[in-house]
Amino acid sequence: MRSRILRLTNLSRPAQETIALIIHYAILFIGVIVLLQLWGIDFSSLAVFVGVLGVGIGLGIQGIAKECVSGLVLIFERPIQVGDFVNVGELMGTVENIGIRSTEILTLDQVSIIIPNSRFLEAEVVNWTHNNPVSRLKLPVGVAYGSDPIKVRSALIEAASQHPEILDQPAPNVFFTGFGENALKFELLVWIEDPPKQFQIKSELYFLIEEILRHYHVDSPFPKLDLHVRSGNFPVDVSHQLIESLTQLSQELTKWMARQSYGNSHNGTSHNGTSNNGTSHRNVQINNTSDNN
């Protein structure tokens, strides 16, 4: 029915899903009634039994009844529709099917997730395409201190204007959000009309921003660390064993220097004595030679 008959009505996909679901359950209910009548079952005689059975079933399947009621609310109130791009807690994806008990969502990873209908009524749900698919994206950007804010604003607007998915109206805008620890902080605001592609669009915009900032000679921020050194005396804890080792090393060094000094002085005295004796001997020989002459 949905693929042949409802397609000819030119209704939207959510309207076709709703009509097909109502007709499906109506036909199923009428078929059960007709089948019971053909079997000759009198409904009046089963009224008490059905009432007791209904109480037992109601107590046993409260959760299912809760989900079914929530499904009817979603179908008729239509806070979400088939084809909507939604956030449910940490899940994000496109609504593929809304049933009586649960709803199927296809995530950006192309994974189908079945969510109980009551969750859409009890928790906050972000519907990116409800009534208007146009949505705004925020892109934080930081630049190094000393950069010209006017150049940064021009670069961000230029990057947004070069991306084909960014809408001209509302026009992109840039806010100077403050001074960070290591950077000047800006925020680029752009509008798109295809929310499921928001992550891809953000990535492509950041590529453009980085390229244009380099063209404008705007540096990226980097962490800075200020180190202050104070001069002066400060206590140093030295172990007792280290003090003893240094004392012993000093004593050994003193003894070694004393031995070296004594050895040098002794050698010098011996050389002087030999030199004096040799000189006297030569003098004696000279004197003897003079006498002989």
Side-chain angles (χ1 to χ4, degrees):
M1 181 190 301
R2 182 173 53 193
S3 60
R4 296 182 180 181
I5 299 176
L6 293 179
R7 182 182 296 177
L8 301 177
T9 61
N10 293 326
L11 295 174
S12 62
R13 182 183 174 188
Q16 294 180 19
E17 292 286 342
T18 301
I19 295 173
L21 191 62
I22 293 175
I23 294 175
H24 171 75
Y25 284 105
I27 293 175
L28 183 62
F29 177 75
I30 294 173
V32 172
I33 297 297
V34 172
L35 183 61
L36 292 177
Q37 288 181 348
L38 292 176
W39 286 350
I41 299 176
D42 186 7
F43 290 99
S44 60
S45 62
L46 298 177
V48 177
F49 174 75
V50 172
V52 175
L53 182 62
V55 174
I57 294 175
L59 294 176
I61 57 173
Q62 290 182 1
I64 297 178
K66 176 182 177 182
E67 303 301 338
C68 291
V69 172
S70 300
L72 293 175
V73 173
L74 294 178
I75 290 173
F76 290 100
E77 188 177 342
R78 300 174 67 182
I80 61 171
Q81 304 175 24
V82 174
D84 286 351
F85 186 71
V86 298
N87 272 90
V88 185
E90 298 181 354
L91 300 176
M92 177 181 290
T94 304
V95 178
E96 293 293 325
N97 181 40
I98 301 176
I100 290 294
R101 190 189 65 83
S102 61
T103 297
E104 179 185 356
I105 289 182
L106 184 65
T107 66
L108 297 177
D109 298 327
Q110 300 300 310
V111 177
S112 296
I113 299 179
I114 308 301
I115 301 177
N117 286 331
S118 60
R119 187 171 177 182
F120 290 93
L121 302 179
E122 296 176 352
E124 295 182 355
V125 178
V126 179
N127 192 339
W128 292 80
T129 53
H130 185 64
N131 295 331
N132 185 12
V134 175
S135 56
R136 185 179 70 177
L137 300 182
K138 297 181 180 180
L139 289 85
V141 178
V143 297
Y145 274 97
S147 302
D148 187 354
I150 304 301
K151 286 186 177 180
V152 175
R153 185 180 186 278
S154 301
L156 297 181
I157 294 295
E158 182 178 343
S161 63
Q162 291 183 7
H163 198 286
E165 298 287 341
I166 304 302
L167 300 178
D168 296 331
Q169 293 295 330
N173 201 357
V174 176
F175 288 103
F176 191 168
T177 57
F179 300 89
E181 293 183 359
N182 305 308
L184 302 177
K185 300 168 65 177
F186 295 83
E187 192 170 64
L188 173 63
L189 304 181
V190 296
W191 280 260
I192 62 173
E193 58 181 358
D194 194 0
K197 296 177 64 177
Q198 57 181 290
F199 299 104
Q200 177 184 349
I201 293 174
K202 280 186 176 182
S203 175
E204 294 172 352
L205 271 177
Y206 275 124
F207 276 111
L208 286 173
I209 290 171
E210 195 277 335
E211 179 182 356
I212 295 176
L213 287 178
R214 280 192 291 106
H215 176 72
Y216 278 87
H217 302 289
V218 177
D219 295 330
S220 300
F222 56 90
K224 297 180 180 179
L225 178 63
D226 294 331
L227 180 62
H228 299 276
V229 179
R230 297 178 59 185
S231 60
N233 297 326
F234 57 92
V236 178
D237 295 332
V238 182
S239 64
H240 182 68
Q241 295 179 351
L242 180 60
I243 294 176
E244 290 182 352
S245 299
L246 292 175
T247 303
Q248 185 178 0
L249 179 61
S250 177
Q251 293 175 354
E252 294 293 335
L253 182 61
T254 302
K255 293 178 180 179
W256 179 81
M257 294 179 64
R259 287 196 298 268
Q260 292 294 325
S261 176
Y262 176 77
N264 291 334
S265 63
H266 181 71
N267 292 334
T269 303
S270 299
H271 288 303
N272 291 333
T274 304
S275 177
N276 292 333
N277 293 334
T279 304
S280 301
H281 182 68
R282 284 196 299 270
N283 291 334
V284 171
Q285 289 181 348
I286 292 172
N287 293 328
N288 292 333
T289 304
S290 300
D291 295 336
N292 294 327
N293 292 332

Coordinates of all heavy atoms in Angstrom, one line a residue, residues 204-263:
E204 N 35.6 20.2 7.1 CA 36.0 21.0 5.9 C 36.3 22.4 6.2 O 37.2 23.1 5.7 CB 35.0 20.8 4.9 CG 34.8 19.3 4.4 CD 33.6 19.2 3.4 OE1 32.8 20.1 3.3 OE2 33.5 18.1 2.9
L205 N 35.5 23.0 7.1 CA 35.7 24.4 7.5 C 37.0 24.6 8.2 O 37.7 25.6 7.9 CB 34.5 24.9 8.3 CG 33.3 25.5 7.6 CD1 32.2 25.9 8.6 CD2 33.7 26.7 6.7
Y206 N 37.3 23.7 9.1 CA 38.6 23.9 9.8 C 39.8 23.7 8.9 O 40.8 24.4 9.1 CB 38.7 22.8 10.9 CG 38.0 23.2 12.2 CD1 37.0 22.4 12.8 CD2 38.4 24.4 12.8 CE1 36.4 22.8 14.0 CE2 37.8 24.8 14.0 CZ 36.8 24.0 14.6 OH 36.2 24.4 15.7
F207 N 39.7 22.9 7.8 CA 40.8 22.8 6.8 C 40.9 24.2 6.1 O 42.1 24.7 5.9 CB 40.5 21.7 5.8 CG 40.9 20.4 6.2 CD1 40.0 19.4 6.5 CD2 42.3 20.0 6.3 CE1 40.4 18.1 6.9 CE2 42.7 18.8 6.7 CZ 41.7 17.8 7.0
L208 N 39.8 24.8 5.7 CA 39.8 26.1 5.1 C 40.4 27.1 6.0 O 41.2 28.0 5.6 CB 38.4 26.4 4.6 CG 37.9 25.7 3.4 CD1 36.4 26.0 3.1 CD2 38.7 26.0 2.1
I209 N 40.0 27.1 7.3 CA 40.4 28.1 8.2 C 41.9 28.1 8.4 O 42.6 29.1 8.4 CB 39.7 28.0 9.5 CG1 38.2 28.4 9.4 CG2 40.3 28.8 10.6 CD1 37.3 28.0 10.6
E210 N 42.5 26.9 8.6 CA 43.9 26.7 8.8 C 44.7 27.2 7.6 O 45.7 27.9 7.7 CB 44.2 25.2 9.0 CG 45.6 25.0 9.6 CD 46.7 25.0 8.6 OE1 46.4 24.6 7.4 OE2 47.9 25.3 8.9
E211 N 44.2 26.9 6.4 CA 44.9 27.4 5.1 C 44.9 28.9 5.0 O 45.9 29.5 4.7 CB 44.2 26.7 3.9 CG 44.9 27.1 2.6 CD 44.2 26.5 1.4 OE1 43.2 25.7 1.6 OE2 44.5 26.8 0.3
I212 N 43.7 29.5 5.3 CA 43.6 30.9 5.1 C 44.4 31.7 6.2 O 45.0 32.7 6.0 CB 42.1 31.3 5.1 CG1 41.4 30.7 3.9 CG2 41.9 32.9 5.1 CD1 40.0 31.0 3.8
L213 N 44.4 31.2 7.4 CA 45.2 31.8 8.5 C 46.6 31.8 8.2 O 47.3 32.8 8.5 CB 44.9 31.1 9.8 CG 43.5 31.3 10.5 CD1 43.4 30.5 11.8 CD2 43.3 32.8 10.7
R214 N 47.1 30.7 7.6 CA 48.5 30.7 7.2 C 48.8 31.7 6.1 O 49.8 32.4 6.0 CB 48.9 29.3 6.7 CG 49.2 28.3 7.8 CD 49.9 27.1 7.3 NE 49.0 26.2 6.6 CZ 49.1 26.0 5.3 NH1 50.0 26.7 4.6 NH2 48.2 25.2 4.6
H215 N 47.8 31.9 5.2 CA 47.9 32.9 4.1 C 48.0 34.3 4.7 O 48.7 35.2 4.2 CB 46.8 32.8 3.1 CG 46.8 33.8 2.1 ND1 47.7 33.8 1.0 CD2 46.0 34.9 1.9 CE1 47.4 34.9 0.2 NE2 46.4 35.6 0.7
Y216 N 47.3 34.6 5.8 CA 47.3 35.9 6.4 C 48.4 36.0 7.4 O 48.5 37.0 8.1 CB 46.0 36.1 7.2 CG 44.8 36.6 6.3 CD1 44.0 35.7 5.6 CD2 44.6 37.9 6.1 CE1 43.0 36.1 4.8 CE2 43.6 38.4 5.3 CZ 42.8 37.5 4.6 OH 41.7 37.9 3.8
H217 N 49.3 35.0 7.5 CA 50.4 35.0 8.5 C 50.0 35.1 9.9 O 50.6 35.9 10.7 CB 51.4 36.1 8.1 CG 51.9 36.0 6.7 ND1 52.8 35.1 6.3 CD2 51.7 36.8 5.6 CE1 53.1 35.2 5.0 NE2 52.4 36.3 4.6
V218 N 48.9 34.4 10.2 CA 48.4 34.4 11.6 C 48.8 33.1 12.2 O 48.5 32.0 11.7 CB 46.9 34.5 11.6 CG1 46.3 34.4 13.1 CG2 46.4 35.8 11.0
D219 N 49.6 33.1 13.3 CA 50.1 32.0 14.0 C 49.1 31.2 14.8 O 48.2 31.9 15.4 CB 51.3 32.3 14.8 CG 52.5 32.9 14.0 OD1 52.6 32.5 12.8 OD2 53.2 33.7 14.5
S220 N 49.3 29.9 14.9 CA 48.4 29.1 15.8 C 49.0 29.3 17.2 O 50.2 29.5 17.5 CB 48.4 27.7 15.4 OG 47.9 27.5 14.1
P221 N 48.1 29.1 18.2 CA 48.6 29.2 19.6 C 49.4 28.0 20.1 O 49.3 26.9 19.5 CB 47.3 29.3 20.4 CG 46.3 28.6 19.6 CD 46.7 28.8 18.2
F222 N 50.3 28.3 21.0 CA 51.1 27.2 21.6 C 51.2 27.4 23.1 O 51.2 28.6 23.5 CB 52.4 27.1 20.9 CG 53.2 28.3 21.0 CD1 54.1 28.6 22.1 CD2 53.1 29.3 20.0 CE1 54.8 29.8 22.1 CE2 53.9 30.5 20.0 CZ 54.7 30.7 21.1
P223 N 51.3 26.4 23.9 CA 51.4 26.6 25.4 C 52.6 27.4 25.7 O 53.7 27.2 25.2 CB 51.5 25.1 25.9 CG 50.9 24.3 24.8 CD 51.3 25.0 23.5
K224 N 52.5 28.3 26.7 CA 53.6 29.1 27.2 C 53.8 28.8 28.7 O 52.8 28.5 29.4 CB 53.3 30.6 27.0 CG 53.2 31.0 25.6 CD 52.9 32.5 25.4 CE 52.8 32.9 24.0 NZ 52.5 34.3 23.9
L225 N 55.0 28.9 29.1 CA 55.4 28.6 30.5 C 56.4 29.7 31.0 O 57.4 29.8 30.4 CB 56.0 27.2 30.8 CG 56.4 26.9 32.2 CD1 55.2 26.9 33.1 CD2 57.1 25.5 32.2
D226 N 56.0 30.5 32.0 CA 56.9 31.5 32.6 C 57.6 30.9 33.8 O 56.9 30.5 34.7 CB 56.1 32.7 33.0 CG 55.5 33.4 31.8 OD1 56.1 33.3 30.7 OD2 54.4 34.1 31.9
L227 N 58.9 31.0 33.8 CA 59.7 30.4 34.9 C 60.4 31.6 35.6 O 61.2 32.3 35.0 CB 60.7 29.4 34.4 CG 61.6 28.7 35.4 CD1 60.8 27.9 36.4 CD2 62.7 27.8 34.7
H228 N 60.1 31.7 36.9 CA 60.8 32.8 37.7 C 61.8 32.1 38.7 O 61.4 31.3 39.5 CB 59.7 33.6 38.5 CG 58.7 34.2 37.6 ND1 58.9 35.5 37.1 CD2 57.5 33.8 37.2 CE1 57.8 35.8 36.4 NE2 57.0 34.8 36.4
V229 N 63.1 32.6 38.6 CA 64.1 32.0 39.4 C 64.6 33.1 40.4 O 64.9 34.2 40.0 CB 65.3 31.5 38.5 CG1 66.4 31.0 39.4 CG2 64.9 30.5 37.5
R230 N 64.6 32.7 41.6 CA 65.0 33.7 42.7 C 66.4 33.2 43.2 O 66.6 32.1 43.6 CB 64.0 33.6 43.8 CG 62.6 34.1 43.5 CD 61.6 34.0 44.6 NE 62.1 34.8 45.7 CZ 61.5 34.8 46.9 NH1 60.4 34.1 47.1 NH2 62.0 35.6 47.9
S231 N 67.3 34.2 43.2 CA 68.6 33.9 43.7 C 68.7 34.1 45.3 O 67.9 34.8 45.8 CB 69.7 34.9 43.1 OG 69.3 36.2 43.4
G232 N 69.7 33.4 45.9 CA 69.8 33.5 47.3 C 70.2 32.2 47.9 O 70.3 31.2 47.3
N233 N 70.5 32.2 49.2 CA 70.9 31.0 49.9 C 69.6 30.2 50.3 O 68.6 30.7 50.6 CB 71.6 31.3 51.2 CG 72.9 32.1 50.9 OD1 73.6 31.8 49.9 ND2 73.3 33.0 51.8
F234 N 69.8 28.9 50.2 CA 68.7 28.0 50.6 C 69.4 26.8 51.3 O 70.5 26.4 50.9 CB 67.9 27.6 49.4 CG 68.7 27.0 48.3 CD1 68.8 25.6 48.3 CD2 69.3 27.7 47.3 CE1 69.5 25.0 47.2 CE2 70.0 27.2 46.3 CZ 70.1 25.8 46.3
P235 N 68.7 26.2 52.2 CA 69.2 25.1 53.0 C 69.3 23.9 52.1 O 68.4 23.6 51.3 CB 68.3 24.9 54.1 CG 67.0 25.5 53.6 CD 67.4 26.6 52.8
V236 N 70.4 23.1 52.3 CA 70.6 21.9 51.5 C 70.8 20.8 52.5 O 71.7 20.8 53.4 CB 71.8 21.9 50.6 CG1 72.0 20.6 49.9 CG2 71.6 23.1 49.6
D237 N 70.0 19.8 52.5 CA 70.1 18.6 53.4 C 71.1 17.6 52.8 O 70.9 17.1 51.7 CB 68.7 18.0 53.6 CG 67.7 18.9 54.3 OD1 68.2 19.8 55.1 OD2 66.5 18.8 54.1
V238 N 72.2 17.4 53.6 CA 73.2 16.4 53.2 C 73.2 15.3 54.2 O 73.2 15.5 55.4 CB 74.6 17.1 53.1 CG1 75.6 16.1 52.6 CG2 74.5 18.3 52.1
S239 N 73.3 14.1 53.7 CA 73.3 12.9 54.6 C 74.6 12.9 55.4 O 75.6 13.3 55.0 CB 73.0 11.7 53.9 OG 74.1 11.4 53.0
H240 N 74.6 12.2 56.6 CA 75.8 12.0 57.4 C 76.8 11.2 56.7 O 78.0 11.4 56.8 CB 75.4 11.4 58.7 CG 76.5 11.2 59.7 ND1 77.1 12.3 60.3 CD2 77.1 10.1 60.1 CE1 78.1 11.8 61.1 NE2 78.1 10.5 61.0
Q241 N 76.4 10.2 56.0 CA 77.4 9.3 55.3 C 78.1 10.1 54.2 O 79.3 9.9 54.0 CB 76.6 8.1 54.6 CG 76.0 7.2 55.7 CD 75.3 6.0 55.0 OE1 75.1 6.0 53.8 NE2 74.9 5.0 55.8
L242 N 77.4 11.0 53.5 CA 78.1 11.8 52.5 C 79.1 12.7 53.1 O 80.2 12.9 52.6 CB 77.0 12.6 51.7 CG 77.6 13.5 50.6 CD1 78.3 12.7 49.6 CD2 76.4 14.3 49.9
I243 N 78.8 13.3 54.3 CA 79.7 14.2 55.0 C 81.0 13.4 55.4 O 82.1 13.9 55.2 CB 79.1 14.8 56.2 CG1 77.9 15.8 55.8 CG2 80.1 15.6 57.1 CD1 77.2 16.3 56.9
E244 N 80.8 12.2 55.9 CA 82.0 11.4 56.3 C 82.9 11.0 55.1 O 84.1 11.1 55.2 CB 81.5 10.1 57.0 CG 80.9 10.4 58.4 CD 80.5 9.1 59.1 OE1 80.6 8.0 58.4 OE2 80.2 9.1 60.3
S245 N 82.2 10.7 54.0 CA 82.9 10.3 52.8 C 83.7 11.5 52.3 O 84.9 11.4 51.9 CB 82.0 9.8 51.7 OG 81.3 8.7 52.1
L246 N 83.1 12.7 52.3 CA 83.8 13.9 51.8 C 85.0 14.3 52.7 O 86.1 14.7 52.3 CB 82.9 15.1 51.7 CG 81.8 15.0 50.6 CD1 80.8 16.2 50.7 CD2 82.4 14.9 49.2
T247 N 84.8 14.1 54.1 CA 85.9 14.3 55.0 C 87.1 13.4 54.8 O 88.2 13.8 54.8 CB 85.4 14.2 56.4 OG1 84.3 15.1 56.6 CG2 86.4 14.6 57.5
Q248 N 86.8 12.1 54.6 CA 87.8 11.1 54.4 C 88.6 11.4 53.1 O 89.8 11.3 53.0 CB 87.2 9.7 54.4 CG 88.3 8.6 54.3 CD 87.6 7.2 54.3 OE1 86.4 7.1 54.4 NE2 88.4 6.2 54.2
L249 N 87.8 11.8 52.1 CA 88.5 12.1 50.8 C 89.4 13.3 50.9 O 90.5 13.4 50.4 CB 87.4 12.4 49.7 CG 87.9 12.7 48.3 CD1 88.7 11.6 47.8 CD2 86.7 13.0 47.4
S250 N 89.0 14.3 51.7 CA 89.8 15.5 51.9 C 91.1 15.2 52.7 O 92.1 15.7 52.3 CB 89.0 16.5 52.7 OG 89.8 17.7 53.0
Q251 N 91.0 14.3 53.7 CA 92.2 13.9 54.4 C 93.2 13.1 53.6 O 94.4 13.4 53.6 CB 91.8 13.0 55.6 CG 91.0 13.8 56.7 CD 90.5 12.9 57.8 OE1 90.6 11.7 57.8 NE2 89.9 13.5 58.9
E252 N 92.6 12.2 52.8 CA 93.5 11.4 51.9 C 94.2 12.3 50.8 O 95.4 12.2 50.5 CB 92.7 10.3 51.1 CG 92.1 9.3 52.0 CD 93.2 8.4 52.6 OE1 94.3 8.3 52.0 OE2 93.0 7.8 53.7
L253 N 93.4 13.3 50.4 CA 94.0 14.3 49.4 C 95.1 15.1 50.0 O 96.2 15.4 49.4 CB 92.9 15.2 48.8 CG 93.4 16.2 47.8 CD1 93.9 15.5 46.5 CD2 92.2 17.0 47.3
T254 N 94.9 15.5 51.3 CA 95.9 16.3 52.0 C 97.2 15.5 52.2 O 98.3 16.0 52.0 CB 95.4 16.7 53.4 OG1 94.2 17.5 53.1 CG2 96.4 17.6 54.1
K255 N 97.1 14.2 52.6 CA 98.2 13.3 52.8 C 99.0 13.1 51.5 O 100.2 13.1 51.5 CB 97.8 12.0 53.4 CG 97.3 12.1 54.8 CD 96.8 10.7 55.3 CE 96.3 10.8 56.7 NZ 95.8 9.4 57.2
W256 N 98.2 12.9 50.4 CA 98.9 12.7 49.1 C 99.7 13.9 48.7 O 100.8 13.8 48.2 CB 97.8 12.3 48.1 CG 98.4 12.1 46.7 CD1 99.0 11.0 46.3 CD2 98.4 13.1 45.7 NE1 99.4 11.1 45.0 CE2 99.1 12.4 44.6 CE3 98.0 14.4 45.5 CZ2 99.3 13.1 43.4 CZ3 98.2 15.0 44.3 CH2 98.9 14.4 43.3
M257 N 99.1 15.1 48.9 CA 99.8 16.3 48.5 C 101.1 16.5 49.4 O 102.1 17.0 48.9 CB 98.9 17.5 48.7 CG 97.7 17.5 47.7 SD 96.6 18.9 47.9 CE 97.8 20.3 47.5
A258 N 101.0 16.1 50.7 CA 102.2 16.2 51.6 C 103.3 15.3 51.1 O 104.5 15.7 51.1 CB 101.8 15.9 53.0
R259 N 102.9 14.1 50.7 CA 104.0 13.2 50.3 C 104.6 13.7 49.0 O 105.8 13.5 48.8 CB 103.3 11.8 50.0 CG 103.0 11.0 51.3 CD 102.8 9.5 51.1 NE 101.6 9.3 50.2 CZ 100.4 9.2 50.6 NH1 100.1 9.1 51.9 NH2 99.4 9.0 49.7
Q260 N 103.8 14.2 48.1 CA 104.3 14.7 46.9 C 105.3 15.9 47.1 O 106.4 16.0 46.5 CB 103.2 15.2 45.9 CG 102.4 14.0 45.4 CD 103.1 13.1 44.5 OE1 104.0 13.6 43.7 NE2 102.9 11.8 44.6
S261 N 104.9 16.7 48.1 CA 105.8 17.9 48.4 C 107.1 17.4 49.0 O 108.2 18.0 48.7 CB 105.0 18.8 49.3 OG 105.8 19.9 49.7
Y262 N 107.1 16.4 49.9 CA 108.3 15.9 50.6 C 109.2 15.3 49.5 O 110.4 15.5 49.6 CB 107.9 14.9 51.7 CG 109.1 14.3 52.3 CD1 109.9 15.0 53.2 CD2 109.4 13.0 52.0 CE1 111.0 14.4 53.8 CE2 110.5 12.4 52.5 CZ 111.3 13.1 53.5 OH 112.4 12.5 54.0
G263 N 108.6 14.5 48.6 CA 109.5 13.8 47.6 C 110.2 14.8 46.7 O 111.3 14.7 46.4

